[in-house]
Amino acid sequence: MQSHQIGNIAGLKPTYFIKDNDQNITLADPRATRALVALMNQHAVIGGAAAHWGGPAAFAEIMSALFGIFSESDGHWRDLFNFVNDAGHTENGLYALQANYQMNNLSFEDLKGFRSVKSKLTGHGENHLYPEGVLLSNGPLGSSAAQAQGLCMSDKMAKNNRVTILTISDGACMEGEAKEAFTAIPGFAKKNKMNPFMMIISDNNTKLSGRISEDSFEQSATFNSLESLGWKLVHVSDGHNLFGLYHQFQDALKILKENPNTPIAFIVKTTKGKGVKSTEDSKSGGHGYPLKAYDEKLTSFIEEIYEGEAPKEFINWANEILKNKPEAQSASTDLFPNQIKEKVQVGVVNALLKLKQEGLPIVSITSDLGGSTGTGKFHQTHPDSTIDVGVAESNMVSVAAGFSKNGFIPVVDTFAQFGITKGNLPLIMANLSNAPIIAFYSHTGYQDAADGASHQATTYFSAVSSIPHTKVISLSSSSQAQEIIECEIRHFHNEKQAGKTPDSVIFFLGRENFPQSYEAPMTNSQVDIPGEDALIVCTGPMVKEAIEAKELLKTDGIDVSIMENAFINMLDIEHFSKSLEKSNHKLITMEDHQITAGMGSILCQKLLQNGNSFKYLGLGIQNEFGRSAYCAGHLYENMGLSAKKAAESIKNFINHR
């Protein structure tokens, strides 16, 4: 079998290093990793993206120790090791470490493009864009654990002499798919079906929203249970003792060589946000990036990492960033200058708080992301009606089904990508059990721009629209969200009160700011603008792009009508049919979803069944994954979904049909 064609590190030396002269060991300086992460994050934030600091800061010594071992390899290191990083939030730390070694010809200059649409250094590791630096794509927590198991088992079958090393966070250990792998790996190892396997868990008792033990439940029992499953368990009390980790990992590799049928798991105590006191003390460990764009604290942040003696290169880099701070923002081209801009999430929480105040038995079953999905304020206001199950989306949906059977209105929330994948079978089983739920799945399509393809739900309509007794609703503004959510949850409650079983309802919403409401004609809380030359049917974040495209088309004398389609699989087909007849029987659909089996496909099928005849242009994602970008607009432009690109496609469609 051929070795993995991944960039070599064997024989390379880091630019910034720490040396143990007594044993002649040279390892990459973890402080350099932290400083580089702070600097590359600053470029991302200036561009408008979010970034992560706490995770890579916690893992810095672990990764430096491992890469020191890899660099000492005799030959190509990938002939000896599979290195799988499941802790996707730490990937920027690995980019920094690779640049420190100049692996894959990666330079410090390359780090400045982190999370931009032109860079291969995406928010989470993406093999499809950076195969020489990322063996397995990561992002959704726990998703790489079983893939690492597969690598290890297939190496055994192929007689490859490789050790598989998996790095994973304590939060990811809450995921069901990770726990399945934790059970299977030692089980198959005992049957001599595994090559040597080493797992390193960063245990800092911290997830996105706070301390795991406080918000959810203590995990020590989970970690200790690994031994009874067949793992050799090693507890490391100081996960920031660089050379101590190096020697312990080396010793473990020797043990695995002698006894490959017993995998080794390290439980390494780390501090999330290590290196800066304010993030070390933060309950979230500085999960995101604690500095603002062009933040004057940048230099002191780096100096604190080095306890006042940071390399001049890093200080000069920071000063160069601050020196280039623009004096004023460029003039806005916003077509909605007089409208309040806010996240759709505002309407979500306003509706939930109002309904709860009215006495509806709403209970929030959440999985760590309430601050991002819009339910966080409900959790703060009604802690007794909130349960955080931890980083476990499948468990979240199934727990909600149990609450539903006991008469509650269970509300779940997470990112759309995790809800439709990890929560899909539990939703089917909930409906089969006549235990409907309410779901808020945010960050749809390319709205989670900076996190990259692993976090971008581009199949969210197709994943759930055909599940029986499931109503799928796509929201475009906060005012619309509040109106529709109040109406749907009241209906859900009334059906239950009448002894009936309502449909489950899934609300999809974006991430970025949108007009609070659209100054346009509305039908049933949806944009409905008349026109003659063609009909644009749009949904969610594409409503804004469609309205802007209409304005651009006016300059070419083209007058299109716009209809918003919020109720994806519960269509008022007669309403669409009448508008299509008034719009020259030309239909365009716009969605930040795969064009296959998306909103447009559902609509066209219903129209054809209704006897309508029309010419059709579908604007959506054309069978490809996304990538990181500073904002969704950059991806819309890339994929032909921006107002400008859409207008060009629509003009060509109308003029040539």
Side-chain angles (χ1 to χ4, degrees):
M1 299 288 288
Q2 292 183 342
S3 65
H4 300 290
Q5 297 303 306
I6 306 293
N8 204 358
I9 188 177
L12 297 179
K13 298 295 182 183
T15 302
Y16 293 96
F17 59 86
I18 296 177
K19 190 168 185 177
D20 183 336
N21 291 318
D22 292 337
Q23 300 190 52
N24 195 30
I25 300 170
T26 300
L27 301 176
D29 189 343
R31 297 174 300 176
T33 296
R34 294 185 178 103
L36 288 166
V37 166
L39 290 163
M40 63 197 289
N41 282 1
Q42 181 65 208
H43 287 282
V45 169
I46 287 170
H52 294 104
W53 154 257
F59 267 94
E61 282 80 9
I62 292 172
M63 298 305 189
S64 286
L66 287 174
F67 272 57
I69 292 170
F70 300 155
S71 70
E72 296 164 0
S73 301
D74 183 13
H76 200 299
W77 71 293
R78 280 298 186 186
D79 290 333
L80 300 176
F81 300 100
N82 292 315
F83 173 58
V84 178
N85 175 43
D86 182 86
H89 293 126
T90 74
E91 199 68 34
N92 49 351
L94 287 172
Y95 299 149
L97 191 54
Q98 290 177 33
N100 195 9
Y101 274 98
Q102 297 182 39
M103 281 181 68
N104 313 314
N105 296 315
L106 197 68
S107 69
F108 291 161
E109 189 69 23
D110 293 323
L111 300 181
K112 296 178 182 179
F114 174 55
R115 289 198 167 201
S116 75
V117 73
K118 296 180 180 179
S119 176
K120 63 185 178 182
L121 306 182
T122 54
H124 297 271
E126 302 287 3
N127 175 268
H128 75 295
L129 295 174
Y130 185 30
E132 66 272 28
V134 178
L135 180 57
L136 292 176
S137 299
N138 59 47
L141 297 181
S143 63
S144 299
Q147 291 182 321
Q149 174 191 333
L151 277 172
C152 191
M153 294 182 78
S154 58
D155 270 339
K156 179 70 174 180
M157 185 176 291
K159 296 182 172 57
N160 293 328
N161 184 29
R162 269 195 283 262
V163 178
T164 297
I165 298 177
L166 169 70
T167 52
I168 190 168
S169 67
D170 50 357
C173 295
M174 305 178 89
E175 291 281 13
E177 57 195 307
K179 291 178 178 176
E180 290 177 16
F182 294 171
T183 301
I185 289 167
F188 282 113
K190 286 180 182 177
K191 298 181 72 174
N192 198 32
K193 293 184 179 293
M194 300 283 292
N195 264 15
F197 196 103
M198 186 166 83
M199 176 169 66
I200 303 166
I201 299 173
S202 173
D203 175 18
N204 46 56
N205 189 32
T206 312
K207 53 191 181 65
L208 184 150
S209 59
R211 301 301 180 194
I212 294 173
S213 59
E214 294 177 14
D215 294 348
S216 298
F217 51 85
E218 174 63 49
Q219 279 194 280
S220 58
T222 297
F223 298 146
N224 291 334
S225 71
L226 293 175
E227 192 164 29
S228 65
L229 292 174
W231 294 82
K232 176 179 173 57
L233 208 54
V234 181
H235 288 276
V236 180
S237 60
D238 183 1
H240 302 293
N241 181 340
L242 177 60
F243 289 98
L245 288 169
Y246 170 86
H247 289 299
Q248 287 180 291
F249 295 160
Q250 285 281 38
D251 290 344
L253 291 171
K254 291 176 184 176
I255 293 171
L256 283 169
K257 187 173 183 180
E258 296 172 0
N259 183 14
N261 293 342
T262 301
I264 296 177
F266 283 88
I267 314 299
V268 183
K269 281 288 184 183
T270 59
T271 301
K272 197 169 180 182
K274 177 70 174 176
V276 174
K277 187 177 186 304
S278 61
T279 54
E280 289 180 8
D281 293 343
S282 167
K283 282 195 172 184
S284 69
H287 178 85
Y289 181 56
L291 301 181
K292 299 177 181 177
Y294 302 108
D295 199 318
E296 295 295 333
K297 298 176 184 176
L298 177 60
T299 304
S300 61
F301 194 87
I302 294 170
E303 288 175 340
E304 184 175 351
I305 292 169
Y306 276 90
E307 299 180 336
E309 299 180 3
K312 285 186 178 179
E313 181 176 15
F314 297 159
I315 297 301
N316 291 341
W317 184 345
N319 288 332
E320 188 68 21
I321 289 172
L322 299 176
K323 186 178 73 174
N324 290 323
K325 180 178 181 179
E327 294 184 4
Q329 297 294 321
S330 58
S332 173
T333 57
D334 187 4
L335 290 183
F336 309 96
N338 300 318
Q339 292 166 268
I340 297 172
K341 310 296 192 304
E342 63 185 15
K343 295 181 183 296
V344 180
Q345 283 84 340
V346 174
V348 171
V349 73
N350 286 345
L352 291 177
L353 289 172
K354 183 177 179 181
L355 293 167
K356 184 69 173 179
Q357 189 175 20
E358 292 176 6
L360 272 67
I362 294 173
V363 175
S364 174
I365 317 295
T366 188
S367 58
D368 190 39
L369 293 174
S372 299
T373 60
T375 60
K377 190 176 178 181
F378 181 91
H379 302 160
Q380 295 168 9
T381 308
H382 299 286
D384 293 339
S385 295
T386 298
I387 295 174
D388 189 335
V389 298
V391 187
E393 296 82 4
S394 294
N395 185 253
M396 173 185 69
V397 175
S398 293
V399 167
F403 271 79
S404 181
K405 291 296 280 189
N406 269 339
F408 291 93
I409 301 175
V411 172
V412 303
D413 67 281
T414 186
F415 290 1
Q417 179 72 321
F418 308 152
I420 65 163
T421 52
K422 301 187 180 189
N424 209 327
L425 179 57
L427 174 63
I428 292 171
M429 297 310 297
N431 286 356
L432 271 172
S433 300
N434 288 321
I437 68 165
I438 304 289
F440 294 101
Y441 292 159
S442 68
H443 296 50
T444 53
Y446 289 143
Q447 281 288 295
D448 196 356
D451 280 329
S454 66
H455 280 50
Q456 290 162 358
T458 63
T459 60
Y460 55 108
F461 294 146
S462 59
V464 294
S465 292
S466 59
I467 297 176
H469 311 301
T470 302
K471 184 181 292 187
V472 179
I473 300 175
S474 177
L475 302 170
S476 63
S477 70
S478 58
S479 62
Q480 179 203 57
Q482 183 164 354
E483 290 176 21
I484 293 179
I485 291 167
E486 286 183 22
C487 179
E488 290 295 330
I489 293 183
R490 284 199 183 97
H491 175 73
F492 186 99
H493 177 63
N494 292 337
E495 289 281 284
K496 281 204 160 198
Q497 291 294 99
K500 301 177 182 178
T501 301
D503 289 338
S504 288
V505 186
I506 301 180
F507 296 98
F508 287 112
L509 53 144
R511 178 187 194 180
E512 298 180 356
N513 288 331
F514 295 90
Q516 188 182 66
S517 61
Y518 289 96
E519 295 175 354
M522 308 288 282
T523 300
N524 296 327
S525 304
Q526 300 171 84
V527 170
D528 191 354
I529 307 172
E532 297 180 353
D533 295 323
L535 168 64
I536 300 176
V537 178
C538 51
T539 190
M542 291 292 100
V543 172
K544 177 176 177 291
E545 301 298 326
I547 294 174
E548 292 179 355
K550 176 180 173 68
E551 294 301 311
L552 293 172
L553 288 166
K554 281 183 180 179
T555 62
D556 291 307
I558 296 173
D559 180 26
V560 296
S561 58
I562 295 177
M563 288 186 67
E564 181 178 359
N565 181 11
F567 296 88
I568 303 300
N569 62 348
M570 300 285 180
L571 298 166
D572 181 354
I573 202 65
E574 288 301 324
H575 186 52
F576 284 100
S577 176
K578 290 176 183 177
S579 184
L580 185 59
E581 290 175 2
K582 296 176 182 177
S583 304
N584 204 22
H585 297 277
K586 291 182 178 179
L587 173 65
I588 303 109
T589 57
M590 288 181 65
E591 55 189 316
D592 59 342
H593 185 284
Q594 297 292 340
I595 201 67
T596 302
M599 177 271 291
S601 295
I602 296 170
L603 175 62
C604 286
Q605 181 192 42
K606 294 293 184 182
L607 285 169
L608 290 170
Q609 288 177 334
N610 192 55
N612 293 91
S613 177
F614 52 91
K615 300 293 185 180
Y616 176 62
L617 171 66
L619 298 178
I621 302 168
Q622 302 290 341
N623 193 34
E624 56 186 309
F625 290 115
R627 59 185 304 147
S628 283
Y630 291 152
C631 63
H634 294 170
L635 290 167
Y636 294 157
E637 186 74 10
N638 251 22
M639 299 294 178
L641 293 174
S642 67
K644 179 182 176 182
K645 289 292 182 70
E648 292 171 359
S649 297
I650 293 167
K651 178 182 175 181
N652 184 62
F653 169 72
I654 290 174
N655 289 339
H656 293 85
R657 291 276 183 154

